[in-house]
């Protein structure tokens, strides 16, 4: 297993923990610009000639009021969340195609978001738009590459308490408030993501491609609208 993000020491530390399960290496890489993606792909090629699974997890966000939401807020977020995903996938696709075997396709899992499905930005206009692009790119790549032995799917998470959402979910009160808006009554947990990845990357996902799987406690399934009556009718 290979793990990369900009902070090499954290990736090395995570890899050291995972080495109890099997071979694992962590190293630095930046998917926010073309040179960074090229260097990251080179690092992968230097370490292995076989790649069965690619998980495009890196993500960046930006929050500002509509009136203040400038060009840089689009440039930074689309570079990491869309262009980085496409460029890294493009560079690693030949290895993924070569690794697939009869009945056991290689896998790509892109991490989208609930806000890529719902028309909801919460001041993160470029982020929500970028995740809609991730979902559409997932389906486009599934259309092109499933027949070449690579299944391409996306996970669309709801709210999880991570560094990215610390501004909104960082304290217990705000986390509780957020959880109360989720039909399942709680925030997402790391094992919700792990179990979904095991499904998509294991036997269960071998006949699944082009899916956008909501892991959101039912958030995208709810609607307050009625077609023929009001709530109090
Ligand atoms: N938390 C949620 O509620 C939620 C909901 C829906 C979707 N997501 C998505 O889930 C994914 C993981 O996010 P998270 O919630 O776990 O937040 P996070 O803790 O902030 O993780 C973001 C990850 O992306 C990496 N990253 C950011 N910019 C990068 C760059 N230019 N190059 C390489 N790596 C970069 C970060 O590592 P470095 O800083 O070391 O680069 C970090 O590992 C993201 O795609 C996010 O959009 C999260």
């Amino acid at each position: 297993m290979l793990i990369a993000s900009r902070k090499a020491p954290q990736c090395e530390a995570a890899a050291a923990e995972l080495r109890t399960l099997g071979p694992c290496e962590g190293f630095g890489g930046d998917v926010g610009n073309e040179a960074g993606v090229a260097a990251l792909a080179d690092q992968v090629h230097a370490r292995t000639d076989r790649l069965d699974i690619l998980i495009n997890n890196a993500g960046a966000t930006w929050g500002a009021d509509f009136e203040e939401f400038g060009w840089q807020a689009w440039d930074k977020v689309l570079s990491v969340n869309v262009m980085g995903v496409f460029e890294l996938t493009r560079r690693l696709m030949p290895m993924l195609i070569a690794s697939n075997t009869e009945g056991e396709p290689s896998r790509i899992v892109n991490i989208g978001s609930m806000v890529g499905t719902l028309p909801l930005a919460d001041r993160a206009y470029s982020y929500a738009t970028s995740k809609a692009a991730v979902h559409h790119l997932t389906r486009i790549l599934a259309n092109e590459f499933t027949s070449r032995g690579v299944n391409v799917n996306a996970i669309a998470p709801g709210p999880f308490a991570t560094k990215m959402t610390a501004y909104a979910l960082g304290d217990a009160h705000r986390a509780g408030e957020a959880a109360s808006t989720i039909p399942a009554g709680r925030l997402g947990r790391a094992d919700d993501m792990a179990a979904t990845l095991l499904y998509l990357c294991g036997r269960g996902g071998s006949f699944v491609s082009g899916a956008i799987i909501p892991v959101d406690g039912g958030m995208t399934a709810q609607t307050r609208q009625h077609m023929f009556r009001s709530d109090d009718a």
Side-chain angles (χ1 to χ4, degrees):
M1 189 192 304
L2 303 174
I3 305 172
S5 76
R6 288 166 304 173
K7 299 186 188 78
Q10 293 187 7
C11 296
E12 285 157 16
E17 275 184 48
L18 290 169
R19 271 200 289 278
T20 54
L21 303 173
C24 188
E25 285 186 57
F27 53 92
D30 187 343
V31 296
N33 59 74
E34 188 180 7
V37 178
L40 177 51
D42 287 348
Q43 293 268 14
V44 173
H45 285 120
R47 285 171 166 83
T48 182
D49 53 12
R50 185 180 172 89
L51 188 64
D52 301 297
I53 300 168
L54 170 63
I55 299 178
N56 286 310
N57 173 66
T61 190
W62 190 299
D65 290 338
F66 178 79
E67 294 74 15
E68 312 299 325
F69 210 92
W71 190 274
Q72 207 194 339
W74 289 93
D75 199 25
K76 184 193 163 183
V77 171
L78 293 187
S79 294
V80 175
N81 295 7
V82 183
M83 292 152 74
V85 169
F86 182 85
E87 183 64 12
L88 187 65
T89 302
R90 187 178 75 81
R91 287 175 181 268
L92 298 180
M93 189 63 92
M95 286 176 92
L96 289 158
I97 292 171
S99 297
N100 104 84
T101 52
E102 186 67 30
E104 199 45 62
S106 298
R107 315 290 159 90
I108 297 174
V109 181
N110 297 323
I111 307 301
S113 171
M114 175 192 100
V115 299
T117 302
L118 294 176
L120 173 68
D122 268 353
R123 298 173 74 245
Y125 298 99
S126 56
Y127 177 80
T129 306
S130 76
K131 293 301 185 176
V134 167
H135 296 181
H136 201 55
L137 179 61
T138 298
R139 288 187 288 257
I140 287 169
L141 295 179
N143 182 38
E144 285 191 30
F145 289 98
T146 306
S147 60
R148 298 170 71 183
V150 183
N151 287 1
V152 189
N153 294 292
I155 298 174
F160 283 65
T162 65
K163 198 176 74 185
M164 182 180 281
T165 54
Y167 74 96
L169 305 173
D171 67 72
H173 175 68
R174 297 194 69 186
E177 272 186 348
S180 71
T181 70
I182 301 172
R186 65 168 176 84
L187 300 176
R189 298 191 306 245
D191 58 353
D192 294 318
M193 287 296 281
T196 309
L197 280 168
L198 284 173
Y199 158 63
L200 284 175
C201 297
R203 173 65 186 88
S206 66
F207 202 53
V208 178
S209 196
I212 314 297
I213 300 186
V215 180
D216 65 3
M219 279 195 95
T220 48
Q222 62 184 343
T223 177
R224 289 191 171 77
Q225 294 171 347
H226 291 279
M227 219 170 8
F228 300 122
R229 64 174 179 83
S230 67
D231 264 333
D232 53 3

